[in-house]
Amino acid sequence: MAGGRQLRRDAFSLWLEAPFVIAMRCHEMGMAAMTGSTQDTAEMTQMVTEKMAAAAESAVAANFALAKALMTAATPETAARAVSEAALKPYGKRVRRNAKRLAARKR
């Protein structure tokens, strides 16, 4: 059951940090729209490319975790947990990094 703790922690972390990142980026887009600034173009480009990279990395990690679970004859619960953890990890890594970066820029 210890593996379930990691999945719950990662999911909870995303649940808390993802809205923060979205709010910070929406604020920046709104400010750029009001001032006519184009300086956030790099941030918006990074946002889209990060999402595409995270989706691809997540799919690959989930497939590898599933293959490993099938090769080791893991129980369905263990396999589901391993695949879920592998799929969440790329998103969590990027969301945490973006939350720290965006919060530091506002100081």
Side-chain angles (χ1 to χ4, degrees), residues 53-73:
E57 189 178 331
S58 178
V60 169
N63 282 316
F64 273 113
L66 179 60
K68 182 179 178 183
L70 291 174
M71 285 190 257
T72 60

Side-chain angles (χ1 to χ4, degrees), residues 5 8 11-12 14 19-20 23 30 39-40 50 59-60 63-64 68 72 76-77 82 87-88 90 95 98:
R5 199 172 305 133
R8 286 190 299 270
F12 186 72
L14 275 173
F20 171 74
Q39 71 187 34
D40 280 344
E50 276 183 346
V60 169
N63 282 316
F64 273 113
K68 182 179 178 183
T72 60
E77 294 83 15
L88 278 180
V95 168
N98 283 330

Side-chain angles (χ1 to χ4, degrees), residues 48-63 86-87 90-91 94:
V48 172
T49 55
E50 276 183 346
K51 283 180 179 28
M52 291 170 43
E57 189 178 331
S58 178
V60 169
N63 282 316
Y91 291 108
R94 285 170 175 83

Side-chain angles (χ1 to χ4, degrees), residues 26-98:
C26 286
H27 173 72
E28 288 182 6
M29 285 189 282
M31 293 303 290
M34 286 193 297
T35 61
S37 172
T38 59
Q39 71 187 34
D40 280 344
T41 304
E43 178 68 26
M44 297 304 115
T45 302
Q46 179 180 353
M47 178 177 69
V48 172
T49 55
E50 276 183 346
K51 283 180 179 28
M52 291 170 43
E57 189 178 331
S58 178
V60 169
N63 282 316
F64 273 113
L66 179 60
K68 182 179 178 183
L70 291 174
M71 285 190 257
T72 60
T75 65
E77 294 83 15
T78 304
R81 187 180 310 120
V83 171
S84 298
E85 286 175 1
L88 278 180
K89 193 174 284 191
Y91 291 108
K93 179 175 63 174
R94 285 170 175 83
V95 168
R96 281 186 294 280
R97 187 174 58 218
N98 283 330

